[in-house]
Amino acid sequence: MEHSSLSELEIQRRKNLKAIIEMGIEPFPAEEFKVSHHAEEILSDFSEEKNNFQNVMIAGRLMQKRIMGKASFAEIQDSTGRIQVYLNRDELCPDEDKSVYNDLFKKYMDIGDFVGFHGKVFKTQTGHTSLHASNMTFLSKSIKPLPIVKTDAEGNVHDAFSDIEMRHRQRYVDLIVNKGVKETFIARAKIIQAMRDFFLDKGYIEVDTPVLQSIPGGAAARPFATHHNALDIPLYLRIANELYLKRLIVGGFEGVFEFSRNFRNEGIDRTHNPEFTAMEIYISYKDYHWMMNFTESMLEHIVQKVYQKSEIEFDGKMIQYAGPYERISMYDVIKKYTGTDISAMNEGELKAFCKSQGVSVDDTMGRGKLIDELFGGKCEKHLIQPTFIIDYPIEMSPLCKKHRTDPQLTERFELFINGKEVANAYSELNDPIDQLERFQEQLKLAEKGDDEAMMIDMDFVRSLEYGMPPTSGLGIGIDRLCMFLTNNKTIQEVLLFPQMRPEKQS
């Protein structure tokens, strides 16, 4: 890289890099550094009375250094937090050559460099638990300066790395300098693991299904298309894994689940990203009533496991995850918030009613899409506490079993939290003749211009012809659930690398 494109600080860091090499020190060593302890462990467990942590090796990123002649203080940040290190020149360099302290540490080491220390833990006169270093090992050079975020005595933050686009584009910097970011993703990992453990403890099997599919099925969504050169066929990134998991139920598994990366060619907003994580689980001999109870138990288990409580704050509201949750039908919730029973309306009447309610409609929308738009525009925002919306009209659920008492409805529920869908579940349709007819209705919607209508998957229909037992399935949007359980208001805050336009090259 030409120096003309670098800032003065970057140029100086490259000079420091050269000086370190000239000292005979490898700036990017390959040797293992045997870390024995981490900052959080030392800070929480050190006791002067016990005189523990007397032979410690720690490593991390240099975040601060205060030079005071022969003695200095440094602060390093490892994967668990920050800890202070005390360095004394004569103890660190007992021989006549003091260059490791005078030159390497004082002159050439920069904020952001990685360094390892060997020493013993003590408390300073001001009460700070610190490491008294007896040896220092240079581990890696940082040639680009970090933003230095400072908080003054009044609590005001200066030079914050807070630009949203920069934070999401350079997540590696965001994780280093902004408090709470890493904790969000640690919590996300714990949420997923708690959910996985809940399923495994009940004897269900985790599986993998194809990401590249010849027919994108299992949801109403626009897919991403690609091409397989060797087979010379079009393929699609999966929009859901439902149809493959149900094939496994046909094959004899009693309960299967998968955490899958799904892809939908749709817009990006505060709760949508084109690439997202979903969990789907299918269990034989169950129905949607059983699955509602199962979902309540699972969510309460996750929250208790991760946070040791059942109520979590989100956006200033306390959300209670201990069941039971309210259960209300799709038609009843629309009546509740519009004052009108739409259950007997035909497509034309429903379209006119949507317009009267200020809900946008177009000619491609069938009855199911119209009801969905009406529900989204008039009802969702009121569903703050966990709420099951149940018994969807048949037009909205092409993969769902007809209701046992009303053939115009389906045995389906969606779970809403804070006005957003988090989970979707069915008593699964296992009648192959009915399933084919539903697919054919979807084909008619596609011919009207609905680019989210499902394609006909004849192999899936064939699998049902061999017989699938009564089954209930559940899908959960992991990213949205993590938003609510970590008090983050946008999906981008719980995705390490959210989708963004390519960065403009200067």
Side-chain angles (χ1 to χ4, degrees):
M1 183 181 290
E2 295 292 331
H3 277 193
S4 59
S5 65
L6 302 176
S7 68
E8 289 185 14
L9 286 175
E10 288 173 306
I11 292 170
Q12 183 57 53
R13 286 187 175 225
R14 280 164 169 74
K15 291 179 179 178
N16 291 347
L17 172 64
K18 183 179 179 182
I20 290 172
I21 294 171
E22 290 173 349
M23 287 180 67
I25 296 172
E26 170 56 57
F28 304 103
E31 294 84 2
E32 175 190 11
F33 184 86
K34 295 183 178 179
V35 173
S36 64
H37 299 84
H38 292 87
E40 182 181 54
E41 175 190 5
I42 294 170
L43 295 174
S44 61
D45 295 344
F46 173 68
S47 166
E48 287 185 293
E49 291 75 19
K50 294 180 181 177
N51 199 33
N52 52 349
F53 298 107
Q54 296 303 292
N55 184 23
V56 170
M57 294 184 73
I58 61 174
R61 189 185 293 273
L62 181 66
M63 299 302 291
Q64 191 178 92
K65 63 177 184 177
R66 301 188 299 279
I67 308 297
M68 297 180 294
K70 293 183 179 181
S72 295
F73 284 96
E75 190 173 84
I76 65 166
Q77 177 172 295
D78 65 13
S79 62
T80 67
R82 295 188 182 190
I83 189 168
Q84 182 172 268
V85 180
Y86 169 74
L87 300 92
N88 181 289
R89 185 192 67 184
D90 295 334
E91 294 177 10
L92 197 64
C93 310
D95 55 12
E96 293 183 3
D97 182 7
K98 309 295 184 183
S99 62
V100 167
Y101 180 82
N102 292 334
D103 295 328
L104 178 61
F105 180 75
K106 290 177 67 174
K107 295 181 182 179
Y108 305 136
M109 282 179 62
D110 295 300
I111 302 302
D113 290 354
F114 280 88
V115 60
F117 292 102
H118 178 222
K120 60 184 180 181
V121 179
F122 75 111
K123 276 193 183 291
T124 65
Q125 291 181 345
T126 56
H128 283 88
T129 300
S130 306
L131 181 77
H132 188 140
S134 59
N135 187 268
M136 180 177 72
T137 304
F138 193 81
L139 297 175
S140 184
K141 186 66 185 162
S142 167
I143 61 173
K144 197 171 188 68
L146 288 170
I148 305 301
V149 182
K150 298 178 181 178
T151 304
D152 62 24
E154 287 74 39
N156 300 309
V157 178
H158 301 276
D159 301 320
F161 186 69
S162 57
D163 180 84
I164 296 297
E165 181 174 345
M166 290 286 286
R167 287 184 53 241
H168 295 165
R169 197 177 293 283
Q170 298 183 34
R171 183 68 84 187
Y172 39 88
V173 178
D174 190 31
L175 289 164
I176 295 168
V177 303
N178 285 328
K179 291 182 179 179
V181 176
K182 182 181 288 184
E183 285 71 20
T184 289
F185 292 102
I186 292 172
R188 178 190 169 106
K190 290 179 178 179
I191 290 164
I192 292 172
Q193 190 59 48
M195 185 180 294
R196 174 179 281 114
D197 290 343
F198 184 83
F199 299 149
L200 293 174
D201 287 346
K202 296 184 181 302
Y204 305 134
I205 305 299
E206 185 169 9
V207 297
D208 292 305
T209 63
V211 175
L212 286 173
Q213 302 179 355
S214 57
I215 298 175
R222 183 189 305 165
F224 287 93
T226 186
H227 186 83
H228 192 289
N229 290 337
L231 296 177
D232 193 25
I233 58 171
L235 289 174
Y236 303 89
L237 294 179
R238 71 176 164 203
I239 57 176
N241 51 356
E242 174 172 344
L243 303 189
Y244 282 94
L245 291 175
K246 287 198 283 194
R247 285 172 168 94
L248 297 179
I249 296 296
V250 170
F253 286 96
E254 186 165 326
V256 291
F257 69 94
E258 180 179 18
F259 290 89
S260 64
R261 298 295 283 182
N262 295 346
F263 307 84
R264 298 183 183 177
N265 202 346
E266 59 188 16
I268 299 173
D269 59 30
R270 293 167 65 88
T271 59
H272 291 85
N273 193 70
E275 178 182 359
F276 63 97
T277 301
M279 186 293 305
E280 293 200 25
I281 184 168
Y282 293 83
I283 305 171
S284 302
Y285 314 115
K286 308 300 183 186
D287 66 6
Y288 77 138
H289 293 296
W290 181 92
M291 188 61 80
M292 279 187 267
N293 297 332
F294 180 81
T295 302
E296 288 173 347
S297 298
M298 176 191 63
L299 290 178
E300 183 174 3
H301 166 82
I302 291 169
V303 174
Q304 286 285 355
K305 184 73 173 179
V306 176
Y307 296 108
Q308 293 77 54
K309 56 186 177 180
S310 63
E311 198 172 37
I312 301 293
E313 182 178 355
F314 179 80
D315 196 19
K317 300 179 285 287
M318 297 305 296
I319 308 297
Q320 176 58 255
Y321 288 92
Y325 305 160
E326 182 183 4
R327 304 178 185 191
I328 182 170
S329 76
M330 173 62 78
Y331 283 141
D332 285 345
V333 76
I334 290 175
K335 183 178 180 180
K336 179 177 180 179
Y337 292 112
T338 69
T340 301
D341 183 353
I342 67 165
S343 60
M345 290 184 182
N346 62 32
E347 186 174 312
E349 292 169 334
L350 190 56
K351 187 173 293 185
F353 181 68
C354 285
K355 290 179 179 178
S356 74
Q357 294 291 309
V359 175
S360 297
V361 299
D362 60 54
D363 293 337
T364 69
M365 293 181 179
R367 193 170 185 275
K369 199 73 175 283
L370 291 167
I371 295 172
D372 194 31
E373 290 296 312
L374 184 62
F375 170 72
K378 307 302 290 188
C379 305
E380 286 186 1
K381 61 187 176 183
H382 300 289
L383 307 176
I384 303 304
Q385 294 300 322
T387 303
F388 292 121
I389 304 299
I390 67 173
D391 299 345
Y392 280 56
I394 195 167
E395 297 89 346
M396 300 179 71
S397 309
L399 297 172
C400 187
K401 186 184 285 290
K402 289 179 181 178
H403 198 279
R404 64 197 73 178
T405 61
D406 185 344
Q408 298 307 308
L409 302 178
T410 56
E411 297 199 348
R412 175 187 180 187
F413 73 78
E414 287 185 302
L415 174 64
F416 284 81
I417 301 173
N418 204 65
K420 296 296 179 183
E421 175 208 344
V422 173
N424 187 20
Y426 305 157
S427 293
E428 298 297 334
L429 178 57
N430 58 347
D431 178 343
I433 297 172
D434 189 3
Q435 178 64 85
L436 181 57
E437 290 173 353
R438 306 273 196 100
F439 276 147
Q440 289 167 340
E441 288 299 316
Q442 288 287 299
L443 185 60
K444 292 177 184 178
L445 292 176
E447 290 169 352
K448 288 176 63 175
D450 187 347
D451 58 7
E452 293 186 347
M454 293 186 189
M455 299 181 186
I456 298 179
D457 187 336
M458 290 305 301
D459 179 69
F460 175 66
V461 175
R462 179 171 58 191
S463 74
L464 294 183
E465 291 175 340
Y466 283 99
M468 186 176 87
T471 299
S472 185
L474 169 72
I476 290 182
I478 295 297
D479 308 314
R480 282 191 191 172
L481 180 62
C482 288
M483 284 173 56
F484 297 137
L485 295 185
T486 61
N487 199 13
N488 279 290
K489 299 174 185 62
T490 69
I491 198 169
Q492 288 77 20
E493 292 297 328
V494 297
L495 299 173
L496 281 167
F497 301 103
Q499 193 68 45
M500 303 184 73
R501 292 184 186 277
E503 190 171 6
K504 292 182 179 179
Q505 300 298 315
S506 58

